[in-house]
Amino acid sequence: MSDIRDEVFAAFTSLYGHEPNGLWSAPGRVNLIGEHTDYNEGFVLPFAINLRTVLALGTRDDRMIRVSSAFADEVVEIALDGLSPNQLSGWSAYPLGVVWALGQFGADLAAVPGVDIYLESTVPVGAGLSSSAAIESAVALALNDAWQLGFDRPTLAKVGQLAENKVVGAPTGIMDQSASLLGKRDAAVFLDCQSLESQIIDLGFAEAGLELLIIDTGVSHDHATGGYAARRASCEAGAAAFGVPSLRHLSVDDLPRAREILDDETFRRVRHVITENQRVLDTVRVLRESGPSAIGDLLDASHRSMRDDFEISVPELDLAVETAQANGAIGARMTGGGFGGAAIALIRSDDVSRLQVAIDGAFAEHGFGQPVSFVVNASDGAIRE
Ligand code: ADP
Ligand code: MG
């Protein structure tokens, strides 16, 4: 199998008729625990995975930007002068949104040369593994290097988030881009979404004989519309009722009062966020004190909270989680924004293939489309190749 980097280099060269300045790559991510806590200024614990967007970038003599992808049969061309978010739509809003967002963070877009970009990705789209952040982070790092902008990685994460929020129109938090830019091999990124401070936490899956299995249900989600925005609104309403800027300022001690002053639905939304923040803190502590074999109950509790309180699971995700739990998983939960996408199961290496067979069988029995399951490893974040 030819290396994706060779493919990207060759495709760039034949498409644009010149060689790139270099290759950059950035990974997708999986969230181990801490769901819908990022935009509430809470805690998350994602890790970068061994599936990546690889891109080639070459500077031009003029002020044009051209982007293309193995994914789409077109070259999208746009002028750097007068670049504005409402010109951008479709898949190219991700890479081109990053160009615009760099300008918003102070990059002098009037002083930089145009670029050609070609990208290819092994991150499945819409599976909750953030193929979007992989693109944003790869483009942000590549332009930061090529244009010598000097932004640090936490700032590049904010650039990617701004592109996704204001150009793509998806009201997502800072987690995905942070994991993609800050991730380290065999470790997770413990991120405080209020201070934006991060710590690298060793996972130790391999030493414990464990694997993390992703079960992509194939049910696609849509962050930009629907349930995601409604959940954010409930969280804001809950914080406003307490007169605090975000749910981060509340703890499990505030739950009795929350039940008194909030309607039942808002209360359950708030309870999910508050207890999920606590579960992230507990997971970090347990990983340090006892290792990964001891975090299963926290993963299971996280899933129940998303299913019953936050109501962002779907039958396919519940089935994946229940089947994993019944087939030897140490813990399992849906991961990502919800309403589809993937579940994760932490499981002994020897039990992985048995679980995959069980999941395929359970989905067939329920008349659901066949899921795709695969093991991921915690990997390094964005790099210049
Ligand atoms: P995810 O959970 O995978 O991040 P999103 O809906 O946030 O799902 O982002 C998926 C979108 O990102 C796709 O619809 C497409 O517009 C863009 N995208 C993902 N991968 C690629 C790719 N290889 N090339 C071009 N665009 C891509
Ligand atoms: Mg996304």
Side-chain angles (χ1 to χ4, degrees):
M1 195 180 77
S2 100
D3 190 300
I4 184 172
R5 289 169 294 196
D6 298 334
E7 269 173 48
V8 168
F9 185 93
F12 179 100
T13 309
S14 84
L15 192 63
Y16 294 125
H18 61 105
E19 286 195 358
N21 302 18
L23 298 183
W24 286 260
S25 75
R29 63 96 188 94
V30 65
N31 193 16
L32 187 58
I33 195 161
E35 222 65 79
H36 288 259
T37 46
D38 62 348
Y39 57 79
N40 289 297
E41 298 187 310
F43 303 107
V44 293
L45 191 64
F47 63 84
I49 59 177
N50 53 316
L51 298 170
R52 307 176 76 88
T53 288
V54 178
L55 70 75
L57 177 146
T59 44
R60 296 166 56 88
D61 298 333
D62 60 12
R63 301 261 303 144
M64 298 303 293
I65 302 223
R66 293 192 289 182
V67 290
S68 57
S69 163
F71 168 103
D73 229 2
E74 56 177 350
V75 177
V76 180
E77 189 171 291
I78 202 147
L80 265 168
D81 297 300
L83 182 66
S84 94
N86 47 30
Q87 292 171 284
L88 310 174
S89 63
W91 72 270
S92 67
Y94 294 88
L96 295 173
V98 168
V99 177
W100 171 81
L102 285 167
Q104 299 300 298
F105 273 82
D108 184 4
L109 296 185
V112 296
V115 292
D116 289 328
I117 293 173
Y118 175 84
L119 62 91
E120 210 169 310
S121 180
T122 56
V123 188
V125 171
L129 300 176
S130 213
S131 66
S132 56
I135 294 179
E136 291 150 5
S137 301
V139 171
L141 188 71
L143 289 172
N144 191 53
D145 286 353
W147 287 343
Q148 302 183 324
L149 301 174
F151 291 123
D152 62 13
R153 286 179 180 239
T155 305
L156 294 178
K158 289 189 211 167
V159 165
Q161 185 197 12
L162 186 69
E164 185 135 0
N165 290 171
K166 291 283 153 48
V167 182
V168 176
T172 53
I174 190 74
M175 167 172 68
D176 300 355
Q177 296 80 8
S178 299
S180 183
L181 282 153
L182 303 174
K184 287 275 176 274
R185 197 174 165 192
D186 297 327
V189 180
F190 172 38
L191 181 70
D192 178 337
C193 298
Q194 185 176 42
S195 67
L196 294 185
E197 276 165 22
S198 61
Q199 283 176 61
I200 297 299
I201 308 292
D202 287 339
L203 286 169
F205 288 168
E207 300 87 280
L210 298 177
E211 300 277 13
L212 195 90
L213 184 72
I214 307 269
I215 306 140
D216 179 3
T217 63
V219 179
S220 80
H221 64 81
D222 188 350
H223 275 172
T225 57
Y228 191 93
R231 297 306 181 281
R232 274 191 89 129
S234 294
C235 293
E236 282 162 22
F242 272 88
V244 292
S246 71
L247 294 179
R248 166 60 180 276
H249 300 268
L250 304 181
S251 76
V252 286
D253 298 334
D254 295 304
L255 286 173
R257 171 116 179 95
R259 194 190 280 284
E260 277 169 29
I261 67 173
L262 302 175
D263 64 83
D264 176 62
E265 187 181 279
T266 311
F267 168 68
R268 286 182 296 110
R269 305 296 189 250
V270 166
R271 179 166 62 184
H272 165 70
V273 173
I274 290 176
T275 57
E276 187 79 349
N277 274 329
Q278 188 59 49
R279 282 186 288 272
V280 176
L281 297 174
D282 291 346
T283 302
V284 169
R285 180 178 45 77
V286 172
L287 278 170
R288 283 176 170 150
E289 287 173 1
S290 316
S293 305
I295 66 170
D297 290 347
L298 291 159
L299 301 181
D300 294 344
S302 173
H303 186 76
R304 286 194 299 274
S305 181
M306 287 187 282
R307 183 190 63 197
D308 301 337
D309 275 357
F310 222 57
E311 296 184 277
I312 54 171
S313 191
V314 295
E316 288 86 346
L317 286 168
D318 291 339
L319 182 65
V321 167
E322 284 155 24
T323 307
Q325 288 161 342
N327 284 274
I330 283 177
R333 58 185 285 275
M334 54 152 283
T335 183
F339 308 105
I344 56 174
L346 186 62
I347 185 157
R348 273 177 297 277
S349 312
D350 296 344
D351 294 336
V352 169
S353 33
R354 195 169 54 89
L355 173 57
Q356 288 176 300
V357 170
I359 285 171
D360 289 352
F363 272 59
E365 205 175 292
H366 283 73
F368 295 156
Q370 274 300 288
V372 177
S373 59
F374 49 93
V375 160
V376 290
N377 301 309
S379 302
D380 284 328
I383 52 166
R384 178 166 189 162
E385 293 282 353

